[in-house]
Amino acid sequence: MIIIMLGAQGTGKGTVAGIVSKETGLPQVSTGDIFRKNISEKTELGIAADKYISSGNLVPDEITVPMVKDRLTWEDAKNGVILDGFPRTIEQAEKLDKMLEEMGQKVDLVVNLVTPREEIIDRMLTRRVCTNQDCKTTYNIKLSPPKVEGICDKCGSQLKQREDDSDPEAINRRLEIYEEKTSPLVEYYDKKGVLSTEKVSVSINRMGIDVANDLIEKLR
Ligand code: ADP
Ligand code: ZN
């Protein structure tokens, strides 16, 4: 089962993917997380990706696509994966289709999270992540704060704000790129008949956890 999480920054893609991954055993493959892990470990891939990420730009396909392709061959991915942050362009989606075809698989479900713009920016500014790269739990200091300020509930490590979440320019650039390059994927997957759009907003009291629970129910 190949599931794709689609949606702008701050809609809760990663949160939903994480919960569904735990329940279904399908690994969460977050390209952003893989990049950040490589950056913190100063690998060649991390060094190459860093300048794009800190300025809020997309990492080129020559780096991103082989990285995902490799990840899909891991043993834990044999029953499928939950893709979080990939694909992000029509080109990447086409490359993914090709990759999956070669593996005898296809995209089964695309969950498209939609959140009002004002809420999105607020959520990005109030997002905090665990600095332990093996944990990387995400919190929101307003919506889902940790029990002790600045400390991860799960592993006790320090929480921090992502560099690209603290820079208004990087935030705006990411949202612009989302609109321009990523949002056409909604139509791309709708045409294939695999799209499921979910609104996430405090205004209707529906958060990522609610979408995740419905999804788990549906997949059972
Ligand atoms: P967000 O969506 O909140 O910006 P992510 O963790 O998904 O955060 O991604 C962080 C950064 O990693 C992106 O801004 C981009 O620079 C890079 N990135 C992640 N996924 C991709 C991708 N599929 N293609 C190109 N760059 C990517
Ligand atoms: Zn943690």
Side-chain angles (χ1 to χ4, degrees), residues 172-190:
N172 277 325
R173 182 158 315 117
R174 281 150 67 210
L175 290 171
E176 266 165 30
I177 293 174
Y178 180 82
E179 275 312 314
E180 187 192 325
K181 305 239 171 84
T182 310
S183 68
L185 292 178
V186 172
E187 200 191 328
Y188 181 88
Y189 287 118
D190 195 20

Side-chain angles (χ1 to χ4, degrees), residues 7-10 13 30-33 35-36 49 52-54 56-61 64 67-68 84-89 92 124 127 162 164-165 174:
Q9 288 73 12
K13 276 193 308 285
S30 158
T31 40
D33 285 347
F35 285 134
R36 280 185 289 276
Y52 300 101
I53 294 180
S54 55
N57 287 298
L58 291 182
V59 178
D61 281 3
T64 310
M67 179 179 92
V68 172
D84 161 19
F86 185 92
R88 258 177 151 88
T89 62
Q92 289 185 356
M124 288 165 84
R127 170 157 71 180
R162 272 169 45 182
D164 55 352
D165 276 351
R174 281 150 67 210

Side-chain angles (χ1 to χ4, degrees), residues 130 132 135-137 152 154-157:
C130 175
N132 172 359
C135 172
K136 59 190 186 337
T137 302
C152 178
K154 290 194 188 151
C155 75
S157 302

